[in-house]
Amino acid sequence: MSSHFGHTILKILSNHTPSKAILQDFKRTFALFKTRDKVKEISPYIIVRADKDEYNEVLNVMHESYYPEEPTCYSLKIAPNPILDERAMKAMEEGFTLVAKCKYNGCIVGACINESTSPWDPEMEEKLACAVKCDKLKKLLMFYAYMMRAPDLWRCLGVQKVYEMSYAFVKRSHRKKGLAYKLLSESKSLGADAGFPVVRCDATNIYTAKICERLGMKKVAEIPYCTYLDQNLEPIFKPPWPHEGVKIFCDCSPQFHEINRKIQKKSNIFGFRKKSKEKEQEV
C-alpha cells in the first residue's frame, strides 16, 4: 500500500498538469488514510418480554434496585414486603413486563413492569390500604390511589383501559448506559402495539420524568411532595433533592406516534445508506 501511494505521488510530481486518471488514483489511495467514522458500539444488553419463570428474579432485582431509592419508599423507609410483592406480581402476570438482560450470561439487570389500569382500581387500592396493619404501607397505598385519580384519564378521555408503565429500575452497577431509557421506550412501543388508547407513566423521580419528556409524552398533572399532607398537616414524603414531586405523563395517540417513530427510523437508515454511497462514488 505504501509503495502504491509513493508511486502515485511521484507521478503527480513528475507531471505539472496531472491527468484526471492520476487525480482519481490519488484520491482513491488517499481515502485509505482518511479517518473513518466511529463504529457504533454494540450494546451488551437485550430488551425482551419477561417469562413467567423470571418473575421471581425480577422481584429480587426490584428489592435491590427500586425500593431503597424510589422517593416515596425511601421517605417512608419501606422495605420489600409480601403485599408489595403480590401487587408487583399481579402486574407482571398481565404479560407486559420487559426486562433488560446481559447477552453473555442471561442475567436480568433491569426491568419495566407495565400493567393496565381501570376506573375502579383506585377504589380497590384504597380497600387494600384499609386492610393493611402497617401505618407506613397504608400511607403509601393511599398515595398510589391518589395518584391514579389525579388526572382522571378514564373520564377525561372516555376510556376504560390505560396502559401504565408502573415500575422501572436498573441495577446500580449497570446504570448510566441508557438502559432505563430503552426500557421505557420499548415499553411505550409495546403499549401502542397492544392497542391501548392511552400510555401513562407516573414519574416519582426526576430521572424518569426526564426520560418521559425525551419520549415526547405530555405532562398532564403534577403532585409536589410538600402538598401531600397527613392529619397533622405535615408532608408525608420528604425525599432527598432533586426529587420534588410526582409528574404524571401520558401519550393519548400512542399508535400514531409509534408509526411516525418507525417511519423516521427507516428514513434515517436509508439516509445513512444514501450518504455512504455518495461518499463511495466521490472516492
Side-chain angles (χ1 to χ4, degrees), residues 200-257:
R200 169 178 173 165
C201 182
D202 298 342
T204 58
N205 63 74
I206 192 172
Y207 309 117
T208 304
K210 288 182 178 180
I211 292 174
C212 290
E213 290 173 355
R214 286 178 61 193
L215 292 174
M217 300 180 73
K218 183 180 179 181
K219 186 177 74 172
V220 295
E222 184 172 0
I223 308 171
Y225 288 127
C226 61
T227 63
Y228 191 76
L229 311 176
D230 59 12
Q231 295 178 347
N232 300 321
L233 300 181
E234 290 291 330
I236 293 177
F237 304 110
K238 297 178 182 179
W241 185 87
H243 312 297
E244 298 178 348
V246 180
K247 294 181 180 180
I248 301 173
F249 294 85
C250 78
D251 184 351
C252 300
S253 305
Q255 287 79 23
F256 174 75
H257 293 148

Short mmCIF file of all heavy atoms in Angstrom, two decimals, residues 200-257:
data_model
loop_
_atom_site.label_atom_id
_atom_site.label_comp_id
_atom_site.label_asym_id
_atom_site.label_seq_id
_atom_site.Cartn_x
_atom_site.Cartn_y
_atom_site.Cartn_z
N ARG A 200 -49.45 5.74 29.94
CA ARG A 200 -49.25 6.63 31.09
C ARG A 200 -48.00 6.22 31.88
O ARG A 200 -47.63 5.05 31.92
CB ARG A 200 -50.48 6.56 31.99
CG ARG A 200 -50.32 7.22 33.36
CD ARG A 200 -51.59 7.16 34.16
NE ARG A 200 -51.40 7.64 35.51
CZ ARG A 200 -52.37 7.97 36.35
NH1 ARG A 200 -53.62 7.86 35.96
NH2 ARG A 200 -52.11 8.40 37.57
N CYS A 201 -47.38 7.22 32.51
CA CYS A 201 -46.25 6.95 33.40
C CYS A 201 -46.27 7.96 34.54
O CYS A 201 -46.30 9.18 34.29
CB CYS A 201 -44.92 7.04 32.64
SG CYS A 201 -43.48 6.68 33.68
N ASP A 202 -46.27 7.46 35.77
CA ASP A 202 -46.20 8.31 36.96
C ASP A 202 -44.73 8.40 37.38
O ASP A 202 -44.20 7.48 38.01
CB ASP A 202 -47.05 7.74 38.10
CG ASP A 202 -48.52 7.67 37.74
OD1 ASP A 202 -48.92 8.37 36.79
OD2 ASP A 202 -49.28 6.92 38.39
N ALA A 203 -44.10 9.51 37.04
CA ALA A 203 -42.66 9.69 37.32
C ALA A 203 -42.50 10.20 38.74
O ALA A 203 -42.65 11.40 39.00
CB ALA A 203 -42.05 10.64 36.32
N THR A 204 -42.16 9.31 39.66
CA THR A 204 -41.98 9.71 41.06
C THR A 204 -40.59 10.27 41.32
O THR A 204 -40.33 10.77 42.41
CB THR A 204 -42.23 8.51 41.99
OG1 THR A 204 -41.33 7.45 41.65
CG2 THR A 204 -43.66 8.02 41.87
N ASN A 205 -39.70 10.16 40.35
CA ASN A 205 -38.36 10.76 40.49
C ASN A 205 -38.03 11.57 39.24
O ASN A 205 -38.62 11.39 38.18
CB ASN A 205 -37.29 9.68 40.74
CG ASN A 205 -37.16 8.72 39.58
OD1 ASN A 205 -36.60 9.05 38.54
ND2 ASN A 205 -37.69 7.51 39.74
N ILE A 206 -37.09 12.46 39.37
CA ILE A 206 -36.77 13.40 38.30
C ILE A 206 -36.16 12.72 37.08
O ILE A 206 -36.33 13.16 35.94
CB ILE A 206 -35.83 14.51 38.83
CG1 ILE A 206 -35.73 15.65 37.82
CG2 ILE A 206 -34.46 13.95 39.17
CD1 ILE A 206 -34.99 16.86 38.35
N TYR A 207 -35.48 11.59 37.29
CA TYR A 207 -34.82 10.90 36.17
C TYR A 207 -35.85 10.28 35.23
O TYR A 207 -35.72 10.37 34.00
CB TYR A 207 -33.86 9.85 36.71
CG TYR A 207 -32.91 10.40 37.75
CD1 TYR A 207 -32.92 9.93 39.06
CD2 TYR A 207 -32.02 11.42 37.43
CE1 TYR A 207 -32.06 10.44 40.02
CE2 TYR A 207 -31.15 11.95 38.39
CZ TYR A 207 -31.19 11.45 39.68
OH TYR A 207 -30.34 11.98 40.63
N THR A 208 -36.88 9.65 35.80
CA THR A 208 -37.95 9.09 34.98
C THR A 208 -38.70 10.19 34.25
O THR A 208 -39.10 10.03 33.09
CB THR A 208 -38.92 8.27 35.84
OG1 THR A 208 -38.20 7.26 36.54
CG2 THR A 208 -39.99 7.60 34.99
N ALA A 209 -38.89 11.33 34.92
CA ALA A 209 -39.59 12.46 34.29
C ALA A 209 -38.84 12.95 33.06
O ALA A 209 -39.44 13.25 32.03
CB ALA A 209 -39.76 13.58 35.31
N LYS A 210 -37.52 13.03 33.15
CA LYS A 210 -36.72 13.49 32.01
C LYS A 210 -36.81 12.51 30.84
O LYS A 210 -36.84 12.93 29.68
CB LYS A 210 -35.26 13.67 32.44
CG LYS A 210 -35.04 14.89 33.34
CD LYS A 210 -33.57 15.04 33.70
CE LYS A 210 -33.34 16.29 34.54
NZ LYS A 210 -31.92 16.47 34.92
N ILE A 211 -36.86 11.22 31.15
CA ILE A 211 -36.99 10.22 30.09
C ILE A 211 -38.34 10.36 29.39
O ILE A 211 -38.43 10.29 28.16
CB ILE A 211 -36.81 8.81 30.65
CG1 ILE A 211 -35.36 8.60 31.12
CG2 ILE A 211 -37.17 7.75 29.60
CD1 ILE A 211 -35.11 7.28 31.81
N CYS A 212 -39.40 10.56 30.17
CA CYS A 212 -40.74 10.73 29.59
C CYS A 212 -40.79 11.95 28.68
O CYS A 212 -41.43 11.93 27.62
CB CYS A 212 -41.78 10.86 30.70
SG CYS A 212 -42.08 9.34 31.62
N GLU A 213 -40.10 13.01 29.06
CA GLU A 213 -40.04 14.21 28.21
C GLU A 213 -39.30 13.90 26.92
O GLU A 213 -39.71 14.35 25.84
CB GLU A 213 -39.35 15.34 28.97
CG GLU A 213 -40.18 15.91 30.11
CD GLU A 213 -39.42 16.92 30.95
OE1 GLU A 213 -38.20 17.10 30.69
OE2 GLU A 213 -40.01 17.52 31.86
N ARG A 214 -38.22 13.13 27.01
CA ARG A 214 -37.48 12.74 25.80
C ARG A 214 -38.32 11.88 24.88
O ARG A 214 -38.15 11.92 23.64
CB ARG A 214 -36.20 11.99 26.18
CG ARG A 214 -35.10 12.87 26.76
CD ARG A 214 -33.89 12.02 27.15
NE ARG A 214 -33.33 11.33 26.01
CZ ARG A 214 -32.44 10.34 26.09
NH1 ARG A 214 -32.01 9.94 27.29
NH2 ARG A 214 -31.97 9.76 25.00
N LEU A 215 -39.22 11.10 25.45
CA LEU A 215 -40.08 10.22 24.66
C LEU A 215 -41.26 10.98 24.05
O LEU A 215 -42.07 10.38 23.34
CB LEU A 215 -40.60 9.07 25.53
CG LEU A 215 -39.56 8.05 25.99
CD1 LEU A 215 -40.18 7.04 26.95
CD2 LEU A 215 -38.95 7.31 24.80
N GLY A 216 -41.35 12.27 24.33
CA GLY A 216 -42.42 13.08 23.74
C GLY A 216 -43.75 12.97 24.45
O GLY A 216 -44.78 13.37 23.88
N MET A 217 -43.76 12.45 25.67
CA MET A 217 -45.01 12.32 26.41
C MET A 217 -45.39 13.68 27.03
O MET A 217 -44.52 14.50 27.35
CB MET A 217 -44.88 11.25 27.50
CG MET A 217 -44.55 9.88 26.95
SD MET A 217 -44.39 8.60 28.21
CE MET A 217 -46.11 8.35 28.67
N LYS A 218 -46.68 13.90 27.21
CA LYS A 218 -47.18 15.18 27.71
C LYS A 218 -47.46 15.09 29.20
O LYS A 218 -48.09 14.14 29.67
CB LYS A 218 -48.45 15.56 26.96
CG LYS A 218 -49.02 16.91 27.36
CD LYS A 218 -50.27 17.22 26.57
CE LYS A 218 -50.86 18.57 26.99
NZ LYS A 218 -52.11 18.88 26.24
N LYS A 219 -47.01 16.11 29.94
CA LYS A 219 -47.28 16.15 31.38
C LYS A 219 -48.71 16.64 31.58
O LYS A 219 -49.08 17.73 31.16
CB LYS A 219 -46.29 17.07 32.09
CG LYS A 219 -46.43 17.06 33.61
CD LYS A 219 -45.39 17.92 34.29
CE LYS A 219 -45.70 19.39 34.10
NZ LYS A 219 -44.83 20.26 34.90
N VAL A 220 -49.53 15.81 32.26
CA VAL A 220 -50.94 16.14 32.45
C VAL A 220 -51.26 16.50 33.90
O VAL A 220 -52.33 17.05 34.17
CB VAL A 220 -51.84 14.97 31.99
CG1 VAL A 220 -51.72 14.76 30.49
CG2 VAL A 220 -51.51 13.69 32.74
N ALA A 221 -50.36 16.19 34.82
CA ALA A 221 -50.60 16.52 36.23
C ALA A 221 -49.28 16.47 36.99
O ALA A 221 -48.33 15.83 36.56
CB ALA A 221 -51.60 15.56 36.87
N GLU A 222 -49.24 17.18 38.11
CA GLU A 222 -48.05 17.19 38.97
C GLU A 222 -48.49 17.28 40.42
O GLU A 222 -49.38 18.07 40.76
CB GLU A 222 -47.14 18.34 38.61
CG GLU A 222 -45.83 18.34 39.39
CD GLU A 222 -44.84 19.38 38.89
OE1 GLU A 222 -45.17 20.12 37.93
OE2 GLU A 222 -43.73 19.46 39.46
N ILE A 223 -47.86 16.46 41.27
CA ILE A 223 -48.17 16.44 42.70
C ILE A 223 -46.88 16.73 43.46
O ILE A 223 -46.07 15.81 43.65
CB ILE A 223 -48.76 15.09 43.14
CG1 ILE A 223 -49.94 14.68 42.24
CG2 ILE A 223 -49.19 15.14 44.61
CD1 ILE A 223 -50.43 13.27 42.48
N PRO A 224 -46.66 17.96 43.89
CA PRO A 224 -45.47 18.22 44.72
C PRO A 224 -45.57 17.47 46.04
O PRO A 224 -46.64 17.43 46.67
CB PRO A 224 -45.54 19.74 44.95
CG PRO A 224 -46.41 20.26 43.84
CD PRO A 224 -47.41 19.18 43.58
N TYR A 225 -44.47 16.87 46.45
CA TYR A 225 -44.49 16.09 47.70
C TYR A 225 -44.85 16.95 48.91
O TYR A 225 -45.46 16.47 49.86
CB TYR A 225 -43.13 15.42 47.91
CG TYR A 225 -42.87 14.27 46.97
CD1 TYR A 225 -41.70 14.22 46.20
CD2 TYR A 225 -43.78 13.22 46.84
CE1 TYR A 225 -41.46 13.17 45.33
CE2 TYR A 225 -43.55 12.18 45.96
CZ TYR A 225 -42.39 12.15 45.22
OH TYR A 225 -42.15 11.11 44.35
N CYS A 226 -44.50 18.22 48.86
CA CYS A 226 -44.76 19.10 50.00
C CYS A 226 -46.24 19.41 50.18
O CYS A 226 -46.65 19.95 51.22
CB CYS A 226 -43.97 20.39 49.88
SG CYS A 226 -44.37 21.36 48.41
N THR A 227 -47.07 19.10 49.15
CA THR A 227 -48.50 19.39 49.24
C THR A 227 -49.33 18.19 49.69
O THR A 227 -50.53 18.34 49.94
CB THR A 227 -49.04 19.88 47.89
OG1 THR A 227 -48.89 18.82 46.91
CG2 THR A 227 -48.27 21.10 47.41
N TYR A 228 -48.71 17.02 49.77
CA TYR A 228 -49.45 15.82 50.21
C TYR A 228 -49.20 15.66 51.71
O TYR A 228 -48.13 15.22 52.12
CB TYR A 228 -48.98 14.60 49.43
CG TYR A 228 -49.85 13.38 49.63
CD1 TYR A 228 -51.09 13.28 49.02
CD2 TYR A 228 -49.42 12.33 50.45
CE1 TYR A 228 -51.90 12.17 49.20
CE2 TYR A 228 -50.22 11.22 50.64
CZ TYR A 228 -51.45 11.14 50.02
OH TYR A 228 -52.26 10.04 50.21
N LEU A 229 -50.21 16.02 52.52
CA LEU A 229 -50.03 16.14 53.95
C LEU A 229 -50.77 15.06 54.73
O LEU A 229 -51.73 14.44 54.23
CB LEU A 229 -50.53 17.52 54.41
CG LEU A 229 -50.03 18.74 53.60
CD1 LEU A 229 -50.68 20.01 54.10
CD2 LEU A 229 -48.52 18.83 53.67
N ASP A 230 -50.33 14.85 55.97
CA ASP A 230 -51.01 13.91 56.87
C ASP A 230 -52.03 14.67 57.72
O ASP A 230 -52.32 15.86 57.49
CB ASP A 230 -49.99 13.17 57.74
CG ASP A 230 -49.16 14.12 58.59
OD1 ASP A 230 -49.51 15.32 58.68
OD2 ASP A 230 -48.15 13.67 59.16
N GLN A 231 -52.57 14.01 58.75
CA GLN A 231 -53.58 14.64 59.59
C GLN A 231 -53.04 15.82 60.38
O GLN A 231 -53.79 16.72 60.78
CB GLN A 231 -54.15 13.59 60.56
CG GLN A 231 -54.91 12.48 59.85
CD GLN A 231 -55.43 11.43 60.80
OE1 GLN A 231 -55.02 11.38 61.96
NE2 GLN A 231 -56.31 10.57 60.31
N ASN A 232 -51.73 15.86 60.62
CA ASN A 232 -51.11 16.96 61.35
C ASN A 232 -50.60 18.07 60.42
O ASN A 232 -49.85 18.94 60.84
CB ASN A 232 -49.94 16.44 62.19
CG ASN A 232 -50.40 15.41 63.22
OD1 ASN A 232 -51.48 15.55 63.82
ND2 ASN A 232 -49.59 14.38 63.41
N LEU A 233 -51.02 17.99 59.14
CA LEU A 233 -50.63 18.97 58.12
C LEU A 233 -49.12 19.00 57.91
O LEU A 233 -48.53 20.04 57.60
CB LEU A 233 -51.13 20.37 58.49
CG LEU A 233 -52.66 20.52 58.65
CD1 LEU A 233 -53.01 21.96 58.98
CD2 LEU A 233 -53.37 20.08 57.38
N GLU A 234 -48.51 17.84 58.04
CA GLU A 234 -47.08 17.67 57.78
C GLU A 234 -46.90 16.84 56.51
O GLU A 234 -47.65 15.89 56.27
CB GLU A 234 -46.39 16.96 58.95
CG GLU A 234 -46.29 17.80 60.22
CD GLU A 234 -45.33 18.96 60.07
OE1 GLU A 234 -44.36 18.84 59.29
OE2 GLU A 234 -45.56 19.99 60.72
N PRO A 235 -45.93 17.19 55.67
CA PRO A 235 -45.70 16.38 54.46
C PRO A 235 -45.37 14.93 54.79
O PRO A 235 -44.54 14.67 55.67
CB PRO A 235 -44.50 17.08 53.79
CG PRO A 235 -44.50 18.46 54.34
CD PRO A 235 -45.01 18.35 55.75
N ILE A 236 -46.04 14.03 54.12
CA ILE A 236 -45.80 12.60 54.35
C ILE A 236 -44.47 12.17 53.74
O ILE A 236 -43.74 11.36 54.31
CB ILE A 236 -46.96 11.77 53.78
CG1 ILE A 236 -48.24 12.03 54.58
CG2 ILE A 236 -46.63 10.27 53.79
CD1 ILE A 236 -49.46 11.32 54.04
N PHE A 237 -44.15 12.74 52.59
CA PHE A 237 -42.93 12.35 51.89
C PHE A 237 -41.92 13.50 51.94
O PHE A 237 -42.23 14.64 51.62
CB PHE A 237 -43.24 12.01 50.43
CG PHE A 237 -44.27 10.93 50.27
CD1 PHE A 237 -45.54 11.23 49.77
CD2 PHE A 237 -43.99 9.62 50.61
CE1 PHE A 237 -46.49 10.24 49.62
CE2 PHE A 237 -44.94 8.62 50.48
CZ PHE A 237 -46.19 8.93 49.98
N LYS A 238 -40.71 13.17 52.34
CA LYS A 238 -39.60 14.13 52.37
C LYS A 238 -38.39 13.49 51.70
O LYS A 238 -37.40 13.16 52.35
CB LYS A 238 -39.29 14.53 53.80
CG LYS A 238 -40.44 15.24 54.51
CD LYS A 238 -40.08 15.58 55.94
CE LYS A 238 -41.25 16.26 56.65
NZ LYS A 238 -40.93 16.58 58.07
N PRO A 239 -38.47 13.32 50.39
CA PRO A 239 -37.36 12.67 49.67
C PRO A 239 -36.17 13.60 49.52
O PRO A 239 -36.31 14.82 49.65
CB PRO A 239 -37.98 12.33 48.32
CG PRO A 239 -39.00 13.39 48.11
CD PRO A 239 -39.55 13.71 49.47
N PRO A 240 -35.00 13.05 49.22
CA PRO A 240 -33.81 13.90 49.01
C PRO A 240 -33.90 14.67 47.70
O PRO A 240 -34.62 14.28 46.78
CB PRO A 240 -32.66 12.87 48.99
CG PRO A 240 -33.30 11.60 48.53
CD PRO A 240 -34.69 11.61 49.08
N TRP A 241 -33.17 15.76 47.65
CA TRP A 241 -33.07 16.54 46.41
C TRP A 241 -32.41 15.67 45.33
O TRP A 241 -31.57 14.83 45.64
CB TRP A 241 -32.20 17.77 46.69
CG TRP A 241 -32.12 18.71 45.54
CD1 TRP A 241 -32.96 19.73 45.23
CD2 TRP A 241 -31.12 18.71 44.51
NE1 TRP A 241 -32.56 20.37 44.09
CE2 TRP A 241 -31.42 19.76 43.62
CE3 TRP A 241 -29.99 17.92 44.27
CZ2 TRP A 241 -30.65 20.04 42.51
CZ3 TRP A 241 -29.23 18.19 43.16
CH2 TRP A 241 -29.55 19.24 42.28
N PRO A 242 -32.82 15.76 44.06
CA PRO A 242 -33.68 16.77 43.44
C PRO A 242 -35.12 16.33 43.25
O PRO A 242 -35.84 16.92 42.43
CB PRO A 242 -33.00 16.97 42.09
CG PRO A 242 -32.49 15.60 41.73
CD PRO A 242 -32.12 14.95 43.04
N HIS A 243 -35.58 15.30 43.95
CA HIS A 243 -36.93 14.78 43.76
C HIS A 243 -37.91 15.65 44.54
O HIS A 243 -37.92 15.63 45.77
CB HIS A 243 -36.99 13.33 44.22
CG HIS A 243 -35.87 12.48 43.68
ND1 HIS A 243 -35.69 12.25 42.34
CD2 HIS A 243 -34.85 11.85 44.32
CE1 HIS A 243 -34.62 11.49 42.16
NE2 HIS A 243 -34.09 11.24 43.34
N GLU A 244 -38.75 16.37 43.82
CA GLU A 244 -39.66 17.33 44.46
C GLU A 244 -41.13 16.95 44.32
O GLU A 244 -41.97 17.57 44.97
CB GLU A 244 -39.43 18.72 43.86
CG GLU A 244 -38.02 19.25 44.10
CD GLU A 244 -37.79 20.61 43.47
OE1 GLU A 244 -38.65 21.01 42.65
OE2 GLU A 244 -36.78 21.26 43.77
N GLY A 245 -41.44 15.99 43.49
CA GLY A 245 -42.83 15.62 43.33
C GLY A 245 -43.03 14.58 42.24
O GLY A 245 -42.07 14.14 41.60
N VAL A 246 -44.29 14.20 42.05
CA VAL A 246 -44.66 13.23 41.02
C VAL A 246 -45.17 13.98 39.80
O VAL A 246 -46.04 14.85 39.91
CB VAL A 246 -45.76 12.28 41.54
CG1 VAL A 246 -46.14 11.28 40.45
CG2 VAL A 246 -45.31 11.55 42.78
N LYS A 247 -44.63 13.64 38.65
CA LYS A 247 -45.10 14.21 37.39
C LYS A 247 -45.76 13.09 36.59
O LYS A 247 -45.13 12.05 36.35
CB LYS A 247 -43.94 14.83 36.60
CG LYS A 247 -43.33 16.04 37.29
CD LYS A 247 -42.21 16.64 36.45
CE LYS A 247 -41.61 17.86 37.15
NZ LYS A 247 -40.51 18.47 36.35
N ILE A 248 -47.00 13.31 36.22
CA ILE A 248 -47.77 12.28 35.51
C ILE A 248 -47.77 12.63 34.02
O ILE A 248 -48.23 13.70 33.62
CB ILE A 248 -49.20 12.19 36.06
CG1 ILE A 248 -49.15 11.84 37.56
CG2 ILE A 248 -50.01 11.15 35.29
CD1 ILE A 248 -50.49 11.89 38.25
N PHE A 249 -47.26 11.69 33.22
CA PHE A 249 -47.16 11.88 31.78
C PHE A 249 -48.08 10.91 31.07
O PHE A 249 -48.36 9.80 31.58
CB PHE A 249 -45.73 11.64 31.30
CG PHE A 249 -44.73 12.65 31.79
CD1 PHE A 249 -44.12 12.50 33.02
CD2 PHE A 249 -44.41 13.75 31.01
CE1 PHE A 249 -43.20 13.43 33.47
CE2 PHE A 249 -43.48 14.68 31.45
CZ PHE A 249 -42.88 14.53 32.68
N CYS A 250 -48.55 11.30 29.90
CA CYS A 250 -49.36 10.37 29.09
C CYS A 250 -49.18 10.66 27.61
O CYS A 250 -48.74 11.75 27.21
CB CYS A 250 -50.84 10.45 29.48
SG CYS A 250 -51.72 11.86 28.81
N ASP A 251 -49.49 9.66 26.82
CA ASP A 251 -49.50 9.76 25.36
C ASP A 251 -50.87 9.30 24.91
O ASP A 251 -51.22 8.13 25.06
CB ASP A 251 -48.40 8.89 24.76
CG ASP A 251 -48.30 9.04 23.24
OD1 ASP A 251 -49.19 9.68 22.65
OD2 ASP A 251 -47.34 8.54 22.65
N CYS A 252 -51.65 10.23 24.38
CA CYS A 252 -53.03 9.92 24.00
C CYS A 252 -53.16 9.42 22.56
O CYS A 252 -54.26 9.06 22.14
CB CYS A 252 -53.92 11.16 24.19
SG CYS A 252 -53.97 11.76 25.88
N SER A 253 -52.07 9.40 21.83
CA SER A 253 -52.07 8.86 20.46
C SER A 253 -50.86 7.96 20.27
O SER A 253 -50.01 8.21 19.41
CB SER A 253 -52.06 10.00 19.44
OG SER A 253 -53.13 10.89 19.65
N PRO A 254 -50.75 6.90 21.08
CA PRO A 254 -49.53 6.08 21.02
C PRO A 254 -49.31 5.38 19.68
O PRO A 254 -48.18 5.26 19.22
CB PRO A 254 -49.73 5.06 22.15
CG PRO A 254 -51.21 5.02 22.37
CD PRO A 254 -51.71 6.40 22.06
N GLN A 255 -50.41 4.93 19.03
CA GLN A 255 -50.26 4.24 17.75
C GLN A 255 -49.74 5.19 16.66
O GLN A 255 -48.85 4.84 15.88
CB GLN A 255 -51.60 3.63 17.30
CG GLN A 255 -52.02 2.41 18.08
CD GLN A 255 -52.62 2.75 19.43
OE1 GLN A 255 -53.10 3.86 19.63
NE2 GLN A 255 -52.62 1.82 20.36
N PHE A 256 -50.28 6.41 16.65
CA PHE A 256 -49.84 7.40 15.65
C PHE A 256 -48.37 7.74 15.85
O PHE A 256 -47.59 7.79 14.88
CB PHE A 256 -50.70 8.66 15.79
CG PHE A 256 -50.25 9.80 14.94
CD1 PHE A 256 -50.49 9.81 13.58
CD2 PHE A 256 -49.57 10.89 15.50
CE1 PHE A 256 -50.07 10.87 12.78
CE2 PHE A 256 -49.15 11.93 14.71
CZ PHE A 256 -49.40 11.93 13.35
N HIS A 257 -47.96 7.97 17.09
CA HIS A 257 -46.57 8.32 17.37
C HIS A 257 -45.62 7.15 17.11
O HIS A 257 -44.48 7.35 16.69
CB HIS A 257 -46.43 8.78 18.82
CG HIS A 257 -47.13 10.07 19.09
ND1 HIS A 257 -47.70 10.39 20.30
CD2 HIS A 257 -47.37 11.15 18.28
CE1 HIS A 257 -48.24 11.59 20.24
NE2 HIS A 257 -48.06 12.07 19.02
#
